[in-house]
Amino acid sequence: MTRTSKGRRPGAEFMDDLFAGADDRGAAARGDVPALLRRWAERGWLRPLDRVFAGFLRDEAPDADPLLLLAAALASHQLGRGHVCLDLAATLADPRFALSLPPEGDDDTDLPPLPDEVLTGVTLERWRAAMAHPLLVAGGAGTTPLVLVGSRLYLRRYWQYECDVRAGIDARLAAPPADLDPAAFRQALDALFPPRAGRAVDWQKLACALVARSAFGIVTGGPGTGKTTTVVRLLALLQSLALAGPQGRPLRIRLAAPTGKAAARLNESIAGAVAQLDLERLPGGEAVRAAIPVAVGTLHRLLGSRPDTRHFRHDARNPLALDVLVVDEASMVDLEMMAAVLAALPARARLVLLGDKDQLASVEAGAVLGELCARAREGYYTPATRDWLADVTGTRLDDALVDPQGEPLDQAVAMLRVSHRFTADSGIGRLAEAVNAGDRAAMHAVLNGSGAQRCVDLARLRLAGDADLRALAIDGGAENFPGGGLLAGKDAPPPPAGFGHYLQVMHDGRPGLTAGQDAFERWARAVLAAQGRFQLLCALRRGPWGVAGLNERVARMLHAAGLIEADHGWYPGRPVLVTRNDYGLGLMNGDLGVTLELPRPAPDGDLQWGLRVAFPAGDGSDGVRWVLPSRLQAVETVFAMTVHKSQGSEFTHAALVLPEALNPVLTRELVYTGITRARRWLTLATAGSDRVLDEAVDRRVLRASGLMAARNAS
């Protein structure tokens, strides 16, 4: 399709000589990069920030090559899409992904030139040569705003974050292995992991041993593989050895997670795991249990967030007072936050990361855990590591996991490989495995099983209209599950629920107007727990099947059913999600609350009902934090939430809603993460054809970064 180009902006003449005589759209667009960037920003393909950044560079260096300015704008834009840098070679190979283009294109007949047009005829050598401007670009340390390493172009701050993370991890990997008495170590491991019949390899025991001997370690694995159980036993092992050591004092241990919801979940699971520890045979016994913390906070709280600044109270000059830091849901930790964590750690402190390497990466730039665990499945353990593990655990690794050329990082990464949540016949587990492997045939076999082959915990729903959505959202769509979601046996779980369940708990359990505060806190805890029984998860924010559209439609349906008093504004039962850290209120991005009614004094002195939002206390207790709605400046209704926002959360029944059309955000990692938010029941609801699901599973999230490339080159 032939499209006309816009006129040139005044002041662009200094670029003309580079493209003199060129008559194609790409060369013409490169000749007037400011006009091109303005048009891209007007279409929403580029952020205004990215355009302004390129304009700043042009003001600083009027002689800058147009290809440099173009690359700078694209490098800035990549940060907003989760990439740490702009990979020039990858961009030339497939320019479509350089911008936030509409998934189905744009039918406007006056579109700006697309990236593939603009970069036509540009070679990697030519683009790299354009970066040769000492005022703007350097190859490493310096003060230039841009850094070019190989074919990767960084904004300096993110290049520095990457260097800091690499240096922090390398320093801990290079530290001498912990001086462990093999006999005492073996005895403690055997006490914590007694032999079990029929278990050929105890991956949790191996992971515990592997991470215990290093100042840096990672425990990764899918849902239900026992990451929390493993880390609790790891902490018991470390405390037992510390109490028996020459100083006889316990280690200072802190537990943290990226969001308030993830911290609350870890707090609950840690507390349960610590209480259930069998310490009868472990040296130190009950003293070890008392030395394992159960309180979990957010990373922001741990580091000491300071309003109106990116900096934290704890840093290299004011390190944290701890010996061991455990970070859960590490897949959600972005590059900048990981750099801050490593900077704030004392030199001799241990860092242990927990997370699922296959989940979605952080919303912000970087995929740190995924990169660090890129070789976890294959192991790459050295013969020395294999022999040491055999000595202390009594288990010899399969030769397929051994590589004499294994790197130091490989020796500190442990992958758990057996799910204890999903049994072999679990539809959720089988579906997650098929999606994670990108196996379409296996995925459809799970979804389309019939008769005895149907998975009792999995429902497939075609969303043809509001009636389908109403049945799912209000009642949970139990009829879509085999047997109506009713399972036999005294320990059978309750059937899948919808939002009607928690709203009924709210209505039926509300204490009287004169009841005491304890009664209202018990009620709030019950409502918050019931609200976690069901959640709609979306891939998109906009559109009829995105967060905005679904929240509005579900609120109207619940109002029509008499379950809520209104469908907008503040009303009893409104669930809300905090979307920005609020340090004054002690609320963090990702915290979930429910709006409830509490007694308050009326002007005449009597009591009347008033609205408050109940949040879990988030301090390791089961308390409730009550907040006036008027004080919440950054919240949104959360009948539906994005899969990204759901990370760190689990729901008894999750319904993953896929839109009717393809979209760039639909990836294998997103589908896998959405599936694994379901603890007991999963509804896969699709508004379109199977093609949307198939295409999503075929696409991987590949974030541009040099973290591992730089490690391997160092």
Side-chain angles (χ1 to χ4, degrees):
M1 178 172 59
T2 302
R3 289 173 281 193
T4 60
S5 61
K6 292 286 188 183
R8 296 175 54 76
R9 286 183 61 192
E13 290 77 14
F14 73 92
M15 301 181 184
D16 286 350
D17 58 338
L18 184 64
F19 299 104
D23 57 2
D24 66 280
R25 266 169 55 90
R30 294 197 300 270
D32 193 357
V33 167
L36 175 68
L37 299 182
R38 184 188 71 246
R39 295 189 65 200
W40 280 354
E42 289 170 350
R43 309 293 303 201
W45 297 354
L46 195 74
R47 300 178 302 175
L49 172 67
D50 311 322
R51 176 194 168 207
V52 170
F53 176 61
F56 163 76
L57 297 184
R58 181 189 174 197
D59 291 342
E60 292 295 306
D63 61 336
D65 192 308
L67 283 173
L68 191 160
L69 299 178
L70 176 65
L74 294 178
S76 174
H77 187 63
Q78 301 317 298
L79 292 174
R81 306 174 72 207
H83 300 281
V84 175
C85 58
L86 175 72
D87 189 320
L88 302 179
T91 302
L92 289 174
D94 195 346
R96 295 173 301 164
F97 294 102
L99 297 178
S100 299
L101 298 176
E104 300 298 331
D106 193 324
D107 61 359
D108 193 321
T109 57
D110 190 27
L111 288 178
L114 297 170
D116 53 348
E117 295 177 282
V118 176
L119 294 171
T120 297
V122 176
T123 65
L124 180 58
E125 292 72 22
R126 170 69 185 87
W127 210 357
R128 280 179 46 82
M131 302 297 117
H133 196 300
L135 185 64
L136 301 182
V137 186
T143 59
T144 59
L146 298 169
V147 176
L148 181 66
V149 180
S151 68
R152 299 186 305 277
L153 183 67
Y154 296 83
L155 272 65
R156 173 165 295 281
R157 183 153 54 91
Y158 284 86
W159 173 81
Q160 191 62 59
Y161 291 149
E162 196 171 86
C163 291
D164 291 347
V165 169
R166 183 174 68 252
I169 292 174
D170 283 346
R172 283 173 166 74
L173 292 173
D179 186 15
L180 303 171
D181 177 1
F185 194 70
R186 190 183 308 112
Q187 178 187 359
L189 274 176
D190 289 343
L192 289 164
F193 297 92
R196 293 186 183 180
R199 178 181 292 180
V201 177
D202 190 335
W203 293 107
Q204 294 182 11
K205 184 176 185 180
L206 288 171
C208 188
L210 201 62
V211 175
R213 70 169 186 164
S214 176
F216 174 78
I218 300 175
V219 179
T220 187
T225 52
K227 295 184 291 292
T228 302
T229 300
T230 301
V231 80
V232 165
R233 296 185 187 183
L234 168 66
L235 298 180
L237 173 68
L238 295 176
Q239 290 292 36
S240 175
L241 297 174
L243 290 169
Q247 297 184 350
R249 68 170 183 85
L251 300 169
R252 297 167 299 173
I253 298 172
R254 297 291 297 274
L255 310 173
T259 67
K261 184 67 175 179
R265 246 194 75 230
L266 179 61
N267 179 81
E268 180 181 347
S269 56
I270 283 278
V274 170
Q276 294 171 15
L277 273 175
D278 182 359
L279 302 177
E280 185 177 347
R281 298 171 53 219
L282 184 70
E286 288 304 312
V288 170
R289 194 190 313 275
I292 301 175
V294 295
V296 185
T298 65
L299 286 171
H300 285 86
R301 290 188 181 110
L302 174 75
L303 296 177
S305 297
R306 296 159 57 190
D308 304 319
T309 176
R310 307 178 79 102
H311 303 292
F312 294 96
R313 190 168 63 254
H314 290 288
D315 54 20
R317 291 168 296 183
N318 180 31
L320 295 161
L322 53 76
D323 301 303
V324 181
L325 174 61
V326 176
V327 179
D328 193 25
E329 296 291 352
S331 64
M332 301 168 64
V333 181
D334 61 88
L335 182 69
E336 181 178 1
M337 176 58 79
M338 189 64 75
V341 168
L342 285 161
L345 284 181
R348 297 181 64 84
R350 294 174 182 265
L351 175 61
V352 180
L353 305 180
L354 306 179
D356 185 344
K357 67 181 181 65
D358 297 314
Q359 278 190 192
L360 279 170
S362 60
V363 175
E364 304 298 331
V368 179
L369 186 73
E371 289 188 79
L372 295 176
C373 295
R375 289 155 53 105
R377 186 173 298 277
E378 294 79 16
Y380 292 98
Y381 299 118
T382 63
T385 297
R386 175 196 59 196
D387 296 343
W388 182 82
L389 284 171
D391 182 39
V392 298
T393 69
T395 300
R396 186 176 179 85
L397 288 175
D398 189 291
D399 287 343
L401 299 175
V402 179
D403 182 356
Q405 304 303 314
E407 299 174 5
L409 176 62
D410 298 322
Q411 317 314 305
V413 178
M415 180 174 171
L416 304 178
R417 300 163 190 262
V418 178
S419 177
H420 304 282
R421 181 194 306 171
F422 301 130
T423 60
D425 62 348
S426 164
I428 300 173
R430 290 167 56 201
L431 183 62
E433 184 178 348
V435 167
N436 199 21
D439 189 337
R440 279 196 194 183
M443 176 180 72
H444 286 293
V446 175
L447 290 172
N448 300 325
S450 60
Q453 299 301 313
R454 287 194 66 189
C455 302
V456 296
D457 57 349
L458 186 62
R460 185 78 185 277
L461 176 62
R462 302 283 185 181
L463 291 167
D466 277 357
D468 298 323
L469 177 62
R470 186 182 302 108
L472 173 64
I474 295 179
D475 300 320
E479 66 277 4
N480 299 313
F481 291 84
L486 296 173
L487 302 181
K490 63 176 183 178
D491 297 324
F499 293 125
H501 170 69
Y502 93 86
L503 291 170
Q504 207 61 55
V505 170
M506 180 188 75
H507 291 302
D508 294 346
R510 189 183 73 171
L513 194 60
T514 59
Q517 183 67 21
D518 287 347
F520 281 98
E521 297 232 345
R522 286 193 299 272
W523 172 57
R525 286 195 293 271
V527 174
L528 288 167
Q531 197 273 335
R533 286 275 305 275
F534 177 67
Q535 185 64 53
L536 289 172
L537 304 177
C538 306
L540 311 177
R541 288 201 58 81
R542 298 181 180 87
W545 301 108
V547 167
L550 281 175
N551 273 323
E552 182 180 334
R553 291 162 68 190
V554 169
R556 287 202 308 265
M557 292 172 182
L558 294 171
H559 177 56
L563 290 167
I564 57 176
E565 296 176 2
D567 58 7
H568 62 279
W570 289 100
Y571 50 83
R574 181 191 178 193
V576 295
L577 176 76
V578 177
T579 59
R580 188 173 65 239
N581 294 340
D582 188 324
Y583 305 105
L585 295 177
L587 295 174
M588 296 293 140
N589 186 4
D591 285 351
L592 284 166
V594 177
T595 311
L596 300 174
E597 288 184 303
L598 282 185
R600 67 174 184 182
D604 60 5
D606 292 336
L607 291 175
Q608 65 181 19
W609 293 111
L611 295 180
R612 296 289 189 278
V613 183
F615 292 92
D619 58 1
S621 69
D622 63 351
V624 176
R625 178 185 289 114
W626 298 95
V627 182
L628 276 168
S630 60
R631 298 192 65 192
L632 294 169
Q633 302 302 311
V635 295
E636 59 186 29
T637 302
V638 69
F639 292 118
M641 69 167 66
T642 61
V643 174
H644 266 106
K645 286 289 188 181
S646 74
Q647 287 183 266
S649 301
E650 287 181 354
F651 307 96
T652 308
H653 177 200
L656 176 60
V657 180
L658 298 181
E660 71 274 28
L662 297 172
N663 189 286
V665 306
L666 288 168
T667 63
R668 182 184 305 177
E669 289 81 0
L670 182 139
V671 176
Y672 170 81
T673 303
I675 290 169
T676 54
R677 297 312 88 203
R679 186 185 304 117
R680 186 62 191 85
W681 307 101
L682 172 71
T683 297
L684 182 61
T686 52
S689 69
D690 283 349
R691 177 170 171 252
V692 174
L693 176 61
D694 289 344
E695 293 288 340
V697 171
D698 284 346
R699 285 207 293 255
R700 300 298 308 267
V701 173
L702 298 175
R703 290 194 166 180
S705 166
L707 183 62
M708 296 308 297
R711 279 183 50 84
N712 295 337
S714 63

